[in-house]
Amino acid sequence: MQLMDFLASVPIFKGLSREQYEELIMVTTIQGYGRGQTIFAEGEEGKGFFVVMEGSVKIYKLSVEGKEQILHIFGPGEPFAEAAVFVGAPFPAHALALQKSRVLFIPRAAFIDLISKEPSLALNMLAALSLRLKRFAQMIEELSLKEVPGRLAAHLLYLSEQQHYPETVRLEIGKAQLASLLGTIPETLSRILARLGSQGFISVKGPEITILDKEGLEALALGEMRLTNG
Amino acid sequence: MQLMDFLASVPIFKGLSREQYEELIMVTTIQGYGRGQTIFAEGEEGKGFFVVMEGSVKIYKLSVEGKEQILHIFGPGEPFAEAAVFVGAPFPAHALALQKSRVLFIPRAAFIDLISKEPSLALNMLAALSLRLKRFAQMIEELSLKEVPGRLAAHLLYLSEQQHYPETVRLEIGKAQLASLLGTIPETLSRILARLGSQGFISVKGPEITILDKEGLEALALGEMRLTNG
DNA sequence: CGCTGCGTTGAGCTTCTTCAACGATCGTGG
DNA sequence: CCACGATCGTTGAAGAAGCTCAACGCAGCG
């Protein structure tokens, strides 16, 4: 059965026995969402958590005036909203499918049951949460201590690494989404992309970005260098 | 032995057996730090985690130019740097004692051992990490979507709640530290405290702040209202 | 063909930071 | 006990970064 294969491919479920996979499958539901559809809203009660099977999901906060801050974008194999399982609290953010997506839903009670019996699952989960915590700490650092050019440079380098250092990096999300991920707005992002381009750091063609000066971007990302106005 | 009592009073260690407490005590070290002393630096290898026994500890990031962003301030009973235990990675931030402090050090290997044998410990830890994740998400939201008056208002209300709604709230940290916690600088904080004061939201006398208009602060914190310049 | 979503560009403005000076408080050593 | 320096907080003036508002271009698609 392919669901079993999928579960086995998910890092946090690594190391479970066949029986435990079957136990999981028993309590699990598969949900489908169209592009732009809400999976849950901030404040809803969290009765379980999710794993992306196909597509991608963004987790985000909204301000009163409607500005959005993306906390994370998850792709296949990645769990989300796990934290809500362990604190008896409502979801602290919104979740929305960026594309046609399928997600696995795992109910809270069954999962806690399973985790109590299987230490390796607990350790996997602890590792996953710890990693996420580290990411958030990095995000706080960037929002507070770096300006937008630095954050953008860091993100481009991150993408480059993710995609195994290709000639040219591809943005998998729209620029408006990228702006929201970097804690800014599309106008500002656009201007800074233009500046990075005109100063020879990168070359931009739609969603394709060629990194021309890796060292320069690194210096920007670390805050060792400032982008001039020209 | 009082160490045992202390351990029993720490939330993440709740529910362990006497033998397990003794096991913990065997591997644990007590460390003392003076005011302003570094406990660890960003980039150091994390060989275990800590629990504050006395005093307080700040976890913070530094920018190249020397600006500081405080991620968290921990007091007695609170664990810190646990995440480093579960990802085999160096500490992602600095830790420093804000006052004369004593902290318990728990080595990584022994703790993973214990957690594998004791599901309730794993669940406690998962709950603790989840809570921290939620806090960080909140911090990201505030840094990105709220301006300083809103963040300050939210913090004052948080303090008020922490201290069980007294007449007047007491800042337990200096204003420079508070500024760093809110993602700004002392000058800006000072001006905004003054503005909040002159507009009748609060009254400031050194580290004592009287909340005069709770509803007003709430509106500010939610972003429903803006602080006028006067 | 025109609509809609997305991205870009310009002008003006707000918020926050920077730089500088000053005042208060506190602990220490003379 | 006073003087001194250090730390901390406050205030002012100027500057920079990013946001708002508005207009426009362009591609995809019904």
Side-chain angles (χ1 to χ4, degrees), chain A residues 61 64 69 116 141 144 222, chain B residues 61 64 69 116 119 141 144 222:
Chain A
K61 293 264 193 178
V64 179
Q69 169 69 44
S116 305
E141 175 185 13
S144 167
L222 292 175
Chain B
K61 293 262 194 180
V64 179
Q69 170 68 45
S116 306
E141 175 185 13
S144 167
L222 292 175

Side-chain angles (χ1 to χ4, degrees), chain B residues 177-226:
Chain B
Q177 297 294 302
L178 178 56
S180 168
L181 190 60
L182 296 178
T184 185
I185 56 175
E187 292 94 320
T188 301
L189 176 63
S190 179
R191 288 182 236 273
I192 290 174
L193 275 172
R195 275 204 287 164
L196 283 178
S198 78
Q199 293 183 31
F201 290 100
I202 60 176
S203 142
V204 186
K205 283 196 197 71
E208 313 261 306
I209 296 181
T210 310
I211 294 181
L212 302 175
D213 180 0
K214 186 157 176 278
E215 285 74 30
L217 286 184
E218 280 163 354
L220 277 173
L222 292 175
E224 291 169 357
M225 192 192 191
R226 296 177 75 87

Side-chain angles (χ1 to χ4, degrees), chain B residues 48-186:
Chain B
F49 75 102
F50 305 83
V51 181
V52 180
M53 299 181 71
E54 296 169 22
S56 62
V57 171
K58 82 170 168 190
I59 310 294
Y60 63 103
K61 293 262 194 180
L62 284 180
S63 76
V64 179
E65 301 98 27
K67 195 186 164 196
E68 166 189 290
Q69 170 68 45
I70 297 180
L71 295 177
H72 216 130
I73 294 181
F74 292 110
E78 296 186 290
F80 64 96
E82 333 84 296
V85 168
F86 303 109
V87 294
F91 293 124
H94 304 271
L96 179 146
L98 285 177
Q99 314 156 19
K100 197 164 182 301
S101 302
R102 286 201 309 161
V103 305
L104 209 61
F105 176 74
I106 295 134
R108 180 193 164 116
F111 187 67
I112 292 202
D113 215 55
L114 191 57
I115 225 176
S116 306
K117 290 182 293 189
E118 188 47 54
S120 77
L121 183 54
L123 286 173
N124 287 345
M125 206 67 191
L126 283 167
L129 286 185
S130 297
L131 220 56
R132 201 140 311 160
L133 210 51
K134 193 179 149 196
R135 268 193 86 85
F136 273 7
Q138 213 169 62
M139 218 157 157
I140 291 170
E141 175 185 13
E142 302 204 330
L143 284 173
S144 167
L145 302 179
K146 294 181 189 162
E147 2 197 273
V148 181
R151 288 179 235 159
L152 175 56
H155 188 78
L156 291 177
L157 292 168
Y158 166 76
L159 283 182
S160 170
E161 188 186 332
Q162 285 287 40
Q163 299 174 16
H164 306 289
Y165 304 102
E167 280 288 310
T168 146
V169 164
R170 182 172 188 84
L171 300 180
E172 306 291 357
I173 57 179
K175 295 202 177 136
Q177 297 294 302
L178 178 56
S180 168
L181 190 60
L182 296 178
T184 185
I185 56 175

Side-chain angles (χ1 to χ4, degrees), chain A residues 120-135:
Chain A
S120 77
L121 183 55
L123 286 173
N124 287 346
M125 206 67 191
L126 283 167
L129 285 184
S130 297
L131 220 56
R132 199 139 313 159
L133 209 52
K134 193 179 149 195
R135 269 192 85 86

Side-chain angles (χ1 to χ4, degrees), chain A:
Chain A
M1 182 197 203
Q2 77 235 37
L3 183 49
M4 178 85 105
D5 292 340
F6 172 72
L7 285 179
S9 79
V10 172
I12 58 160
F13 294 134
K14 194 139 280 182
L16 299 191
S17 68
R18 169 166 284 271
E19 290 76 35
Q20 288 170 325
Y21 281 132
E22 278 161 4
E23 227 176 298
L24 256 181
I25 289 176
M26 298 290 285
V27 298
T28 263
T29 337
I30 295 179
Q31 305 179 346
Y33 294 93
R35 174 188 155 100
Q37 213 178 340
T38 292
I39 299 175
F40 56 78
E42 177 166 359
E44 273 181 33
E45 198 192 342
K47 299 197 159 117
F49 75 102
F50 304 83
V51 181
V52 180
M53 300 180 71
E54 296 169 22
S56 62
V57 170
K58 80 169 169 191
I59 309 295
Y60 63 103
K61 293 264 193 178
L62 284 179
S63 76
V64 179
E65 300 98 26
K67 195 187 164 195
E68 167 189 288
Q69 169 69 44
I70 297 180
L71 295 177
H72 216 131
I73 295 182
F74 291 111
E78 295 187 290
F80 63 97
E82 334 84 296
V85 168
F86 303 109
V87 295
F91 294 123
H94 305 270
L96 178 146
L98 285 178
Q99 313 156 20
K100 197 163 183 299
S101 301
R102 287 202 308 160
V103 304
L104 208 62
F105 176 74
I106 295 134
R108 182 193 162 115
F111 187 68
I112 291 200
D113 216 54
L114 191 57
I115 224 176
S116 305
K117 290 182 294 189
E118 188 47 55
S120 77
L121 183 55
L123 286 173
N124 287 346
M125 206 67 191
L126 283 167
L129 285 184
S130 297
L131 220 56
R132 199 139 313 159
L133 209 52
K134 193 179 149 195
R135 269 192 85 86
F136 273 8
Q138 212 169 59
M139 218 157 156
I140 291 170
E141 175 185 13
E142 302 204 331
L143 283 172
S144 167
L145 302 179
K146 293 180 190 162
E147 8 199 86
V148 182
R151 288 179 236 159
L152 176 56
H155 188 78
L156 291 177
L157 292 168
Y158 166 76
L159 284 182
S160 169
E161 188 185 332
Q162 285 288 39
Q163 300 174 15
H164 306 290
Y165 304 102
E167 281 287 309
T168 144
V169 164
R170 182 171 187 84
L171 301 180
E172 305 291 357
I173 57 180
K175 297 204 177 134
Q177 297 294 300
L178 177 57
S180 168
L181 189 60
L182 296 178
T184 185
I185 56 175
E187 291 94 321
T188 300
L189 175 63
S190 180
R191 288 183 235 273
I192 290 173
L193 275 173
R195 265 161 66 190
L196 282 178
S198 78
Q199 293 183 30
F201 290 100
I202 59 176
S203 143
V204 186
K205 283 196 198 70
E208 313 262 306
I209 296 181
T210 310
I211 294 181
L212 302 174
D213 181 1
K214 186 157 177 277
E215 285 73 30
L217 287 184
E218 280 162 354
L220 278 173
L222 292 175
E224 291 170 355
M225 192 192 190
R226 295 177 76 86
L227 195 54
T228 60
N229 280 322

